[in-house]
DNA sequence: TGTACATCAGTGAACGCGCGTTCACTGATGTAC
DNA sequence: TGTACATCAGTGAACGCGCGTTCACTGATGTAC
């Protein structure tokens, strides 16, 4: 018992320092962007020699990967919290809450947002470890839609029936969601549209086109809920 | 006369070489992404010594800027061509053609797409010279909407009237478009949603969620035309 | 048309830089008996 | 509880790299009279 306790003492220190490296790295990321993320600079700020970092991360890329995974986790946390805090509201209200939570996080952490929803860092595909937080996001969206259906707040008009080819294209996501195909298609469209709106704003394309980003975003999200999701 | 002809001879050579540098740079961009764009490597491939490039571009950043401007111009070309080739179709058909042209270009030039619609390169704001091609894009969208209205193919339901604050937020773009405010808002939403759909696909987020990207995109764009624009 | 000078493109060497990663090492902490 | 050994964190020097940019230069092309 004493042995395992002391053993975990070393491990606790290790975890602490790993955390510290990640925190410093995240700060660097926030300030200079992923491209400029330098192992040496991080090491300097942590107060160790650059080679010591290799005790914790086998390479610079692994450090970046860890940050990517953390960023996904952070969005998932925000979204889950927003969804949980709005269970008693109507579908459109919950949609507003969830989309606002993503946007707020994105504005607070633009570089991290860019890291996961902007241009992928060259030579990168999503690491395995992002599957779990991405799934959490998907679950929130699916639950939102399911609740909306069950409560009768979601009244999709079936006037634009899904062609067979589109239905087939959606196979993986349909299996995951277990909802009517047009609801899934609408949900996905609303979801990607939200990212379009956020990226467009965050990456500067609304500059000199729109004055009040908050009002604009809120309104467009309401429009998505109404027109695309079919809420109300 | 002879003088000005020979003077422009030198100038023609200069333009040719400038072009060659840009072409090589664009090829490098396509292969390795903007981060890895190196003045020295470009110079090597053009067949000159690195310092010679400074006769044409005052710095690496200016070279990148030129590529950004060109990329915007390329999208604008595609979009204008698609719009021009589809003047006789219905609004939804024209919308399909225009959105497909953006997506096709994006898939053919992913790094260039990422350069202008993905994460901005750190320390960059859109250079002045992008205003012109961006305007050309805006004009296409506005004309699309105007034609749709005039032909009665666009029947926006005024059930979701624009709150004053949103109307005010849209002031610059309303002045530019000179169309009913809700039409402008719908157009902008459809437009940014298109970018969301393209980025989501191109940046890998549809991976293992959707099987047939072509069918999926086409359908979602039809949905946008119908549900958001109010086409038909 | 011919000569003297000015402009410009391209060369080659050099600058200083910060980077990722490796490696042999020291010393502290944990483990086994 | 004490000793002998194993594990691990962190050090410091060194590697090779490619980069952007500057600068004095050569030689060709254009200009003015």
């Amino acid at each position: 018992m004493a042995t395992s306790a002391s053993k975990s003492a070393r491990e606790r220190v290790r975890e602490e320092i790993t955390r510290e490296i990640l925190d410093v790295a995240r700060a660097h990321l926030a300030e200079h962007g992923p491209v400029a993320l330098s192992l040496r600079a991080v090491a300097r700020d942590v107060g160790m020699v650059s080679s010591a970092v290799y005790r914790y991360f086998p390479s610079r890329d692994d450090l970046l990967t860890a940050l990517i995974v953390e960023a996904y986790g952070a969005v998932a946390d925000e979204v889950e919290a927003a969804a949980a805090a709005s269970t008693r509201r109507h579908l459109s209200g919950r949609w507003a809450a969830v989309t606002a939570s993503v946007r707020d996080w994105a504005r607070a952490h633009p570089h991290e947002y860019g890291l996961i929803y902007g241009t992928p860092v060259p030579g990168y595909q999503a690491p395995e470890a992002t599957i779990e937080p991405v799934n959490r996001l998907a679950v929130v969206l699916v639950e939102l839609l399911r609740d909306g259906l069950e409560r009768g707040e979601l009244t999709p008009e079936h006037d634009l029936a899904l062609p067979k080819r589109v239905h087939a294209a959606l196979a993986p996501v349909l299996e995951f969601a277990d909802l009517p195909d047009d609801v899934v298609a609408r949900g996905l469209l609303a979801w990607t549209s939200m990212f379009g709106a956020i990226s467009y704003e965050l990456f500067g394309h609304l500059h000199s086109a729109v004055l009040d980003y908050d009002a604009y975003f809120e309104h467009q999200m309401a429009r998505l809920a109404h027109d695309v999701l079919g809420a109300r």
Side-chain angles (χ1 to χ4, degrees), chain A:
Chain A
M1 203 62 104
T3 341
S4 98
S6 56
K7 184 188 164 196
S8 72
R10 179 124 89 174
E11 270 176 4
R12 268 202 310 275
V13 173
R14 191 180 170 78
E15 275 162 24
E16 247 172 52
I17 297 190
T18 305
R19 264 261 58 81
E20 201 184 337
I21 293 174
L22 281 172
D23 288 345
V24 170
R26 189 155 2 84
H28 280 227
L29 179 66
E31 195 144 1
H32 312 292
V35 171
L37 183 76
S38 137
L39 223 156
R40 294 184 96 112
V42 170
R44 264 195 302 274
D45 267 24
V46 173
M48 35 171 44
V49 99
S50 67
S51 53
V53 177
Y54 285 84
R55 295 276 167 207
Y56 298 88
F57 296 94
S59 76
R60 193 205 94 120
D61 275 9
D62 291 274
L63 180 56
L64 234 192
T65 298
L67 290 175
I68 291 177
V69 172
E70 282 208 331
Y72 272 112
V75 196
D77 289 347
E78 298 291 325
V79 164
E80 281 177 350
S86 63
T87 38
R88 298 199 332 213
R89 298 173 64 185
H90 278 108
L91 177 61
S92 56
R94 300 191 71 192
W95 172 254
V98 165
T99 55
S101 76
V102 177
R103 176 170 174 264
D104 289 346
W105 182 84
R107 286 165 57 102
H109 309 86
H111 277 122
E112 287 173 77
Y113 176 84
L115 191 60
I116 58 181
Y117 290 112
T119 326
V121 179
Y124 250 82
Q125 43 276 66
E128 290 288 316
T130 59
I131 292 177
E132 184 260 345
V134 168
N135 255 16
R136 283 164 61 202
L137 287 170
V139 165
V140 169
L141 180 58
V142 168
E143 291 301 323
L144 221 71
L145 295 171
R146 192 190 314 286
D147 286 357
L149 271 180
E150 283 173 2
R151 298 184 197 165
E153 298 160 359
L154 191 58
T155 57
E157 298 153 25
H158 294 268
D159 53 356
L160 202 68
L162 278 203
K164 267 187 196 156
R165 201 174 155 210
V166 177
H167 182 93
L170 289 170
V173 80
L174 283 175
E175 192 188 0
F176 176 85
D178 191 26
L179 287 170
D181 61 2
D182 67 321
V183 171
V184 168
R186 286 167 183 276
L188 249 178
L189 179 56
W191 190 245
T192 61
S193 297
M194 170 197 70
F195 281 113
I198 293 174
S199 294
Y200 216 74
E201 171 188 335
L202 215 66
F203 298 163
H205 299 288
L206 286 185
H207 188 248
S208 76
V210 169
L211 300 175
D212 181 343
Y213 295 162
D214 291 352
Y216 173 75
F217 182 80
E218 200 184 327
H219 179 72
Q220 296 294 46
M221 291 306 108
R223 215 172 257 281
L224 280 180
H226 187 267
D227 294 352
V228 171
L229 290 182
R232 189 138 301 218

